[in-house]
Amino acid sequence: MSDLTTELHELLGDEGFLKLTDVHGGIRVYVPKVAHGSTLATEIGVDNTARLSKMFSGGYIRVPVAREFRARHYRAHGESNAMIARRLGLTETGVEKLFSRAPKERVTAKKDPRQIEMF
């Protein structure tokens, strides 16, 4: 992830970051000095816009596409690869490749306290 992607994700949290990338992913967006009454506030919420305004007031940010993050979110909410493909502007094959390239979450078995250490 780029520094801006990480910064935006930490600033807005999962839901706010999702709203921002769903609406404006891949384009430059003007961040107003005042959140209330702005177009951005109606799109991603006043609180999220206020957070952005504190850091980027009166400037433009390049909103990341964040395909991997969004795809994982959609899948966690039960969406099919076909629906994810439509939402991300990809083919189903592209979505499958996206998931196959994504780092797998490491699952470790619980250690049985009765088991002795062999190595």
Side-chain angles (χ1 to χ4, degrees):
M1 269 198 285
S2 74
D3 290 339
L4 180 60
T5 301
T6 302
E7 192 173 359
L8 290 172
H9 195 176
E10 288 174 357
L11 179 67
L12 301 174
D14 285 347
E15 290 302 315
F17 185 67
L18 181 68
K19 285 180 185 179
L20 179 66
T21 56
D22 266 348
V23 176
H24 294 291
I27 61 173
R28 282 185 321 128
V29 172
Y30 176 74
V31 179
K33 292 179 181 180
V34 178
H36 287 285
S38 70
T39 302
L40 189 60
T42 61
E43 295 168 335
I44 68 167
V46 174
D47 290 341
N48 290 323
T49 304
R51 286 186 197 107
L52 288 174
S53 293
K54 284 183 181 177
M55 289 193 74
F56 306 102
S57 183
Y60 285 86
I61 57 171
R62 292 182 189 269
V63 179
V65 177
R67 282 190 179 113
E68 185 180 316
F69 169 79
R70 292 167 56 207
R72 280 185 284 130
H73 174 83
Y74 301 146
R75 179 171 274 177
H77 286 84
E79 292 191 19
S80 67
N81 282 0
M83 182 59 72
I84 294 169
R86 281 190 207 104
R87 291 182 82 158
L88 297 179
L90 298 172
T91 63
E92 283 183 84
T93 303
V95 171
E96 291 165 6
K97 286 180 182 178
L98 186 70
F99 284 122
S100 70
R101 285 188 303 229
K104 306 285 187 267
E105 287 187 27
R106 193 168 186 202
V107 178
T108 56
K110 278 190 167 181
K111 183 178 177 186
D112 186 337
R114 298 170 295 174
Q115 185 71 32
I116 63 169
E117 198 66 40
M118 300 258 323
F119 301 99

